[in-house]
Amino acid sequence: MKGIYVENLTKTYDGIYNALNNISFQLPEGGIMGFLGPNGSGKTTTVRILNGILKPTSGNGQILGRDIVKEAPEIHKISGVMTESAACYENLTALENLMFFGSVHGIREIIVKERSINLLKRLELYDHRDKKIKEYSTGMKKRVSLAIALIHDPRILFLDEPTSGLDPESASNVTKLIKELSKEDKVTVLLCTHQLKYAEEICSSYGFINKGNMLGYGTFEELTKRLNYKDNIIIKGEDIYDESGLVEMKRGIYKKGVSNDEEISKVIHEILNKGGKIYEVYREKMSLEKLYFNYVRSEKHE
Protein backbone atom coordinates (compact mmCIF):
# COMPACT_ATOMS: atom_id res chain seq x y z
CA MET A 1 0.00 0.00 0.00
CA LYS A 2 1.11 3.57 -0.68
CA GLY A 3 1.66 5.51 2.54
CA ILE A 4 1.36 8.86 0.77
CA TYR A 5 0.18 9.45 -2.79
CA VAL A 6 0.12 12.94 -4.33
CA GLU A 7 -0.91 13.76 -7.89
CA ASN A 8 -0.75 17.19 -9.54
CA LEU A 9 -1.28 19.03 -6.27
CA THR A 10 -1.62 22.80 -6.70
CA LYS A 11 -2.28 25.52 -4.12
CA THR A 12 -3.01 29.03 -5.35
CA TYR A 13 -3.55 32.09 -3.15
CA ASP A 14 -5.67 35.03 -4.36
CA GLY A 15 -5.84 33.41 -7.79
CA ILE A 16 -2.31 34.66 -8.47
CA TYR A 17 0.41 33.18 -6.27
CA ASN A 18 1.11 29.47 -6.65
CA ALA A 19 2.53 28.03 -3.43
CA LEU A 20 2.50 24.60 -5.12
CA ASN A 21 2.68 23.89 -8.86
CA ASN A 22 1.27 20.48 -9.85
CA ILE A 23 3.51 18.47 -7.56
CA SER A 24 3.38 14.66 -7.59
CA PHE A 25 5.15 12.02 -5.52
CA GLN A 26 4.62 8.67 -3.81
CA LEU A 27 5.92 7.21 -0.56
CA PRO A 28 5.42 3.53 0.29
CA GLU A 29 3.99 2.52 3.65
CA GLY A 30 6.77 2.36 6.23
CA GLY A 31 9.11 4.56 4.19
CA ILE A 32 10.93 7.68 5.41
CA MET A 33 11.04 10.45 2.82
CA GLY A 34 13.18 13.52 3.27
CA PHE A 35 11.18 16.48 1.93
CA LEU A 36 13.97 18.90 1.12
CA GLY A 37 13.89 22.53 0.14
CA PRO A 38 14.57 26.06 1.44
CA ASN A 39 12.10 28.18 3.42
CA GLY A 40 9.16 29.15 1.23
CA SER A 41 9.65 26.21 -1.14
CA GLY A 42 6.23 24.68 -0.39
CA LYS A 43 7.06 22.01 2.21
CA THR A 44 4.78 23.37 4.95
CA THR A 45 1.93 24.02 2.50
CA THR A 46 2.17 20.41 1.28
CA VAL A 47 2.08 19.02 4.83
CA ARG A 48 -0.91 21.21 5.76
CA ILE A 49 -2.81 19.96 2.72
CA LEU A 50 -1.92 16.33 3.41
CA ASN A 51 -3.13 16.46 7.01
CA GLY A 52 -6.32 18.33 6.15
CA ILE A 53 -5.58 21.83 7.47
CA LEU A 54 -5.63 23.35 3.97
CA LYS A 55 -7.58 22.36 0.87
CA PRO A 56 -5.75 22.09 -2.46
CA THR A 57 -6.79 24.33 -5.35
CA SER A 58 -6.53 21.34 -7.66
CA GLY A 59 -5.04 17.86 -7.78
CA ASN A 60 -5.57 15.01 -5.36
CA GLY A 61 -3.85 12.93 -2.75
CA GLN A 62 -4.29 9.96 -0.47
CA ILE A 63 -2.95 8.96 2.93
CA LEU A 64 -2.99 5.16 3.31
CA GLY A 65 -5.78 5.05 0.73
CA ARG A 66 -7.85 7.82 2.34
CA ASP A 67 -8.72 10.89 0.28
CA ILE A 68 -7.07 14.01 1.74
CA VAL A 69 -10.18 16.18 1.17
CA LYS A 70 -13.13 13.80 1.58
CA GLU A 71 -11.67 11.81 4.49
CA ALA A 72 -9.70 14.50 6.36
CA PRO A 73 -11.16 13.58 9.82
CA GLU A 74 -10.03 9.97 9.36
CA ILE A 75 -6.57 11.15 8.33
CA HIS A 76 -6.35 13.28 11.50
CA LYS A 77 -6.91 10.15 13.59
CA ILE A 78 -3.99 8.26 12.04
CA SER A 79 -1.55 11.17 11.67
CA GLY A 80 1.01 12.60 14.06
CA VAL A 81 2.39 16.08 13.39
CA MET A 82 5.50 17.63 14.91
CA THR A 83 6.16 21.26 13.98
CA GLU A 84 9.56 22.99 14.22
CA SER A 85 8.42 25.00 17.25
CA ALA A 86 7.46 22.97 20.32
CA ALA A 87 3.68 22.53 20.60
CA CYS A 88 2.97 21.91 24.28
CA TYR A 89 1.53 23.72 27.29
CA GLU A 90 4.26 25.53 29.25
CA ASN A 91 2.51 25.41 32.63
CA LEU A 92 1.89 21.67 32.52
CA THR A 93 4.46 18.96 33.16
CA ALA A 94 5.62 16.61 30.40
CA LEU A 95 3.45 13.83 31.79
CA GLU A 96 0.42 16.14 32.11
CA ASN A 97 0.86 17.28 28.51
CA LEU A 98 0.90 13.71 27.25
CA MET A 99 -2.08 12.73 29.39
CA PHE A 100 -4.03 15.72 28.08
CA PHE A 101 -3.27 15.13 24.39
CA GLY A 102 -3.98 11.43 24.81
CA SER A 103 -7.42 12.26 26.21
CA VAL A 104 -8.09 14.54 23.21
CA HIS A 105 -7.65 11.45 21.03
CA GLY A 106 -10.17 9.62 23.18
CA ILE A 107 -7.70 7.10 24.59
CA ARG A 108 -8.49 5.52 27.96
CA GLU A 109 -6.53 7.02 30.86
CA ILE A 110 -4.76 3.79 31.84
CA ILE A 111 -3.53 3.28 28.26
CA VAL A 112 -2.46 6.92 27.87
CA LYS A 113 -0.43 6.76 31.08
CA GLU A 114 1.32 3.58 29.98
CA ARG A 115 2.14 5.05 26.56
CA SER A 116 3.27 8.35 28.13
CA ILE A 117 5.71 6.67 30.48
CA ASN A 118 7.06 4.48 27.67
CA LEU A 119 7.61 7.48 25.37
CA LEU A 120 9.22 9.58 28.11
CA LYS A 121 11.64 6.75 28.82
CA ARG A 122 12.48 6.21 25.14
CA LEU A 123 13.12 9.93 24.70
CA GLU A 124 15.15 10.17 27.93
CA LEU A 125 12.67 12.51 29.61
CA TYR A 126 11.27 10.21 32.31
CA ASP A 127 13.42 11.69 35.10
CA HIS A 128 12.00 15.14 34.25
CA ARG A 129 8.36 14.04 33.84
CA ASP A 130 7.09 16.16 36.76
CA LYS A 131 8.81 19.40 35.77
CA LYS A 132 6.78 22.10 34.06
CA ILE A 133 7.60 22.55 30.38
CA LYS A 134 8.65 26.18 30.95
CA GLU A 135 11.63 24.80 32.92
CA TYR A 136 12.74 22.63 29.99
CA SER A 137 15.53 23.43 27.54
CA THR A 138 14.66 23.92 23.85
CA GLY A 139 15.86 20.42 23.03
CA MET A 140 13.76 18.86 25.81
CA LYS A 141 10.65 20.72 24.60
CA LYS A 142 11.33 19.37 21.12
CA ARG A 143 11.35 15.81 22.44
CA VAL A 144 8.08 16.39 24.32
CA SER A 145 6.55 17.61 21.04
CA LEU A 146 7.62 14.38 19.38
CA ALA A 147 6.11 12.37 22.24
CA ILE A 148 2.82 14.28 21.80
CA ALA A 149 2.83 13.49 18.06
CA LEU A 150 3.27 9.79 18.92
CA ILE A 151 0.86 9.45 21.86
CA HIS A 152 -1.99 8.00 19.76
CA ASP A 153 0.21 5.50 17.85
CA PRO A 154 -0.13 7.23 14.46
CA ARG A 155 0.47 5.37 11.21
CA ILE A 156 1.68 8.53 9.44
CA LEU A 157 4.17 11.02 10.86
CA PHE A 158 4.79 14.54 9.55
CA LEU A 159 7.99 15.80 11.15
CA ASP A 160 9.46 19.28 10.74
CA GLU A 161 13.15 19.48 11.72
CA PRO A 162 12.84 16.79 14.44
CA THR A 163 16.48 17.08 15.60
CA SER A 164 17.12 20.83 15.38
CA GLY A 165 18.17 22.23 18.74
CA LEU A 166 19.09 18.78 20.10
CA ASP A 167 22.52 17.80 21.40
CA PRO A 168 24.20 14.94 19.46
CA GLU A 169 23.17 12.24 21.94
CA SER A 170 19.50 13.33 22.00
CA ALA A 171 19.46 13.67 18.20
CA SER A 172 20.81 10.13 17.89
CA ASN A 173 18.12 8.91 20.28
CA VAL A 174 15.34 10.58 18.27
CA THR A 175 16.76 9.24 14.99
CA LYS A 176 16.85 5.72 16.40
CA LEU A 177 13.20 5.98 17.51
CA ILE A 178 12.06 7.24 14.08
CA LYS A 179 13.90 4.38 12.34
CA GLU A 180 12.36 1.83 14.71
CA LEU A 181 8.85 3.18 14.10
CA SER A 182 9.42 2.93 10.34
CA LYS A 183 10.95 -0.56 10.35
CA GLU A 184 9.07 -2.31 13.15
CA ASP A 185 5.67 -0.59 13.14
CA LYS A 186 5.48 0.34 9.43
CA VAL A 187 4.92 4.02 10.29
CA THR A 188 5.22 6.21 7.18
CA VAL A 189 7.33 9.34 7.78
CA LEU A 190 7.44 12.58 5.77
CA LEU A 191 10.39 14.48 7.19
CA CYS A 192 10.89 18.17 6.34
CA THR A 193 14.44 19.34 6.97
CA HIS A 194 17.17 21.72 5.85
CA GLN A 195 19.81 19.33 7.22
CA LEU A 196 20.82 17.37 4.13
CA LYS A 197 23.45 15.29 5.94
CA TYR A 198 20.86 14.25 8.51
CA ALA A 199 18.38 13.36 5.76
CA GLU A 200 21.05 11.24 4.10
CA GLU A 201 21.47 9.30 7.35
CA ILE A 202 17.82 8.53 8.06
CA CYS A 203 15.76 8.63 4.85
CA SER A 204 14.95 5.84 2.39
CA SER A 205 13.87 8.29 -0.32
CA TYR A 206 13.91 12.02 -1.03
CA GLY A 207 11.72 14.71 -2.56
CA PHE A 208 13.39 17.89 -3.82
CA ILE A 209 11.11 20.94 -3.87
CA ASN A 210 11.91 24.53 -4.80
CA LYS A 211 9.58 27.52 -5.37
CA GLY A 212 6.55 25.24 -5.32
CA ASN A 213 7.96 22.90 -7.96
CA MET A 214 8.78 19.22 -7.37
CA LEU A 215 12.20 18.85 -8.95
CA GLY A 216 12.44 15.12 -8.39
CA TYR A 217 11.70 12.32 -5.95
CA GLY A 218 12.81 8.74 -5.36
CA THR A 219 15.70 6.82 -3.83
CA PHE A 220 19.20 8.29 -3.97
CA GLU A 221 20.09 5.87 -6.79
CA GLU A 222 16.98 6.81 -8.79
CA LEU A 223 17.67 10.53 -8.40
CA THR A 224 21.31 10.24 -9.50
CA LYS A 225 20.39 8.01 -12.45
CA ARG A 226 17.78 10.51 -13.64
CA LEU A 227 20.48 13.15 -14.17
CA ASN A 228 23.06 10.59 -15.37
CA TYR A 229 25.45 11.33 -12.52
CA LYS A 230 28.30 8.99 -11.71
CA ASP A 231 30.63 8.50 -8.78
CA ASN A 232 34.32 9.24 -9.32
CA ILE A 233 37.17 6.83 -8.80
CA ILE A 234 40.41 8.52 -7.67
CA ILE A 235 43.64 6.60 -8.23
CA LYS A 236 47.13 7.48 -7.04
CA GLY A 237 49.82 5.70 -9.03
CA GLU A 238 52.52 5.66 -11.73
CA ASP A 239 52.82 4.68 -15.37
CA ILE A 240 49.08 5.08 -15.95
CA TYR A 241 48.24 5.83 -19.56
CA ASP A 242 45.37 7.73 -21.17
CA GLU A 243 43.87 4.59 -22.75
CA SER A 244 42.29 3.73 -19.37
CA GLY A 245 40.01 6.77 -19.65
CA LEU A 246 41.46 8.34 -16.51
CA VAL A 247 42.13 12.08 -16.40
CA GLU A 248 45.30 13.20 -14.58
CA MET A 249 44.23 15.85 -12.09
CA LYS A 250 47.77 16.49 -10.91
CA ARG A 251 50.98 14.52 -11.07
CA GLY A 252 50.32 10.91 -10.11
CA ILE A 253 46.61 11.39 -9.24
CA TYR A 254 43.94 10.32 -11.72
CA LYS A 255 40.14 10.55 -11.88
CA LYS A 256 37.33 8.85 -13.80
CA GLY A 257 33.53 8.73 -13.59
CA VAL A 258 32.18 5.23 -12.88
CA SER A 259 28.70 3.72 -12.68
CA ASN A 260 29.29 0.57 -10.63
CA ASP A 261 31.79 -1.71 -8.85
CA GLU A 262 32.37 -3.80 -11.99
CA GLU A 263 33.55 -0.72 -13.88
CA ILE A 264 36.00 0.11 -11.08
CA SER A 265 37.38 -3.43 -11.16
CA LYS A 266 37.80 -3.22 -14.93
CA VAL A 267 39.75 0.07 -14.71
CA ILE A 268 42.10 -1.34 -12.06
CA HIS A 269 42.75 -4.54 -14.05
CA GLU A 270 43.48 -2.53 -17.21
CA ILE A 271 46.07 -0.40 -15.40
CA LEU A 272 47.81 -3.40 -13.84
CA ASN A 273 47.75 -5.42 -17.08
CA LYS A 274 49.51 -2.54 -18.88
CA GLY A 275 52.25 -2.37 -16.24
CA GLY A 276 50.89 0.56 -14.26
CA LYS A 277 51.37 0.88 -10.52
CA ILE A 278 48.53 1.66 -8.12
CA TYR A 279 49.29 2.99 -4.62
CA GLU A 280 45.83 4.13 -3.52
CA VAL A 281 42.23 3.90 -4.76
CA TYR A 282 39.10 5.48 -3.36
CA ARG A 283 35.58 6.15 -4.56
CA GLU A 284 34.28 9.71 -4.41
CA LYS A 285 30.50 9.44 -4.03
CA MET A 286 27.90 12.04 -4.88
CA SER A 287 26.53 13.59 -1.68
CA LEU A 288 22.85 14.37 -1.17
CA GLU A 289 23.76 18.05 -0.87
CA LYS A 290 25.49 18.08 -4.27
CA LEU A 291 22.65 16.12 -5.81
CA TYR A 292 20.02 18.55 -4.49
CA PHE A 293 21.83 21.61 -5.84
CA ASN A 294 22.35 19.89 -9.19
CA TYR A 295 18.58 19.44 -9.42
CA VAL A 296 18.08 23.14 -8.58
CA ARG A 297 20.60 24.13 -11.28
CA SER A 298 18.96 21.75 -13.74
CA GLU A 299 15.56 23.45 -13.13
CA LYS A 300 17.06 26.90 -13.83
CA HIS A 301 18.45 25.73 -17.19
CA GLU A 302 15.16 24.22 -18.39
Side-chain angles (χ1 to χ4, degrees), residues 2 8 15 22 24 29 53-54 59 62 67 82-83 85 93 121 130 141 156 170 186 191 195 208 210 242 290 294:
K2 295 181 181 72
N8 298 326
N22 291 309
S24 301
E29 185 178 8
I53 294 172
L54 292 176
Q62 294 178 354
D67 186 275
M82 177 187 175
T83 58
S85 56
T93 67
K121 284 179 177 177
D130 295 323
K141 289 178 182 177
I156 296 280
S170 296
K186 284 288 180 187
L191 189 154
Q195 302 174 62
F208 297 155
N210 190 45
D242 292 340
K290 283 183 182 177
N294 277 318

Side-chain angles (χ1 to χ4, degrees), residues 142-298:
K142 200 73 181 273
R143 282 179 279 159
V144 173
S145 287
L146 178 57
I148 290 169
L150 295 171
I151 194 64
H152 59 300
D153 281 347
R155 294 178 62 196
I156 296 280
L157 265 182
F158 298 102
L159 303 178
D160 192 357
E161 301 289 357
T163 59
S164 69
L166 301 185
D167 60 80
E169 187 176 349
S170 296
S172 175
N173 191 284
V174 166
T175 299
K176 182 184 175 189
L177 175 56
I178 295 169
K179 285 181 175 179
E180 285 173 358
L181 290 167
S182 166
K183 187 175 180 181
E184 297 170 14
D185 302 330
K186 284 288 180 187
V187 175
T188 305
V189 182
L190 185 65
L191 189 154
C192 301
T193 183
H194 300 96
Q195 302 174 62
L196 297 180
K197 288 183 180 177
Y198 173 64
E200 202 164 7
E201 176 191 346
I202 190 174
C203 298
S204 53
S205 63
Y206 309 92
F208 297 155
I209 188 168
N210 190 45
K211 296 179 182 176
N213 298 309
M214 200 70 175
L215 309 184
Y217 77 92
T219 64
F220 189 87
E221 290 73 22
E222 288 167 345
L223 286 162
T224 52
K225 191 174 181 181
R226 211 162 287 146
L227 289 186
N228 296 316
Y229 284 115
K230 296 182 175 183
D231 292 343
N232 289 315
I233 180 175
I234 311 293
I235 295 177
K236 184 179 180 182
E238 288 182 49
D239 302 325
I240 296 173
Y241 302 100
D242 292 340
E243 304 95 85
S244 61
L246 287 151
V247 175
E248 189 169 16
M249 297 161 62
K250 57 183 180 180
R251 187 173 178 83
I253 298 177
Y254 302 81
K255 180 177 182 178
K256 183 183 180 180
V258 291
S259 300
N260 50 51
D261 292 342
E262 290 75 17
E263 197 172 338
I264 294 172
S265 180
K266 186 179 176 183
V267 171
I268 291 170
H269 277 98
E270 275 185 18
I271 293 169
L272 296 175
N273 287 337
K274 291 180 179 179
K277 296 174 185 175
I278 295 176
Y279 303 131
E280 188 179 346
V281 180
Y282 69 92
R283 189 170 182 169
E284 186 181 65
K285 291 202 167 193
M286 170 74 71
S287 69
L288 183 63
E289 186 173 7
K290 283 183 182 177
L291 186 60
Y292 171 77
F293 285 113
N294 277 318
Y295 265 85
V296 172
R297 279 195 289 272
S298 175

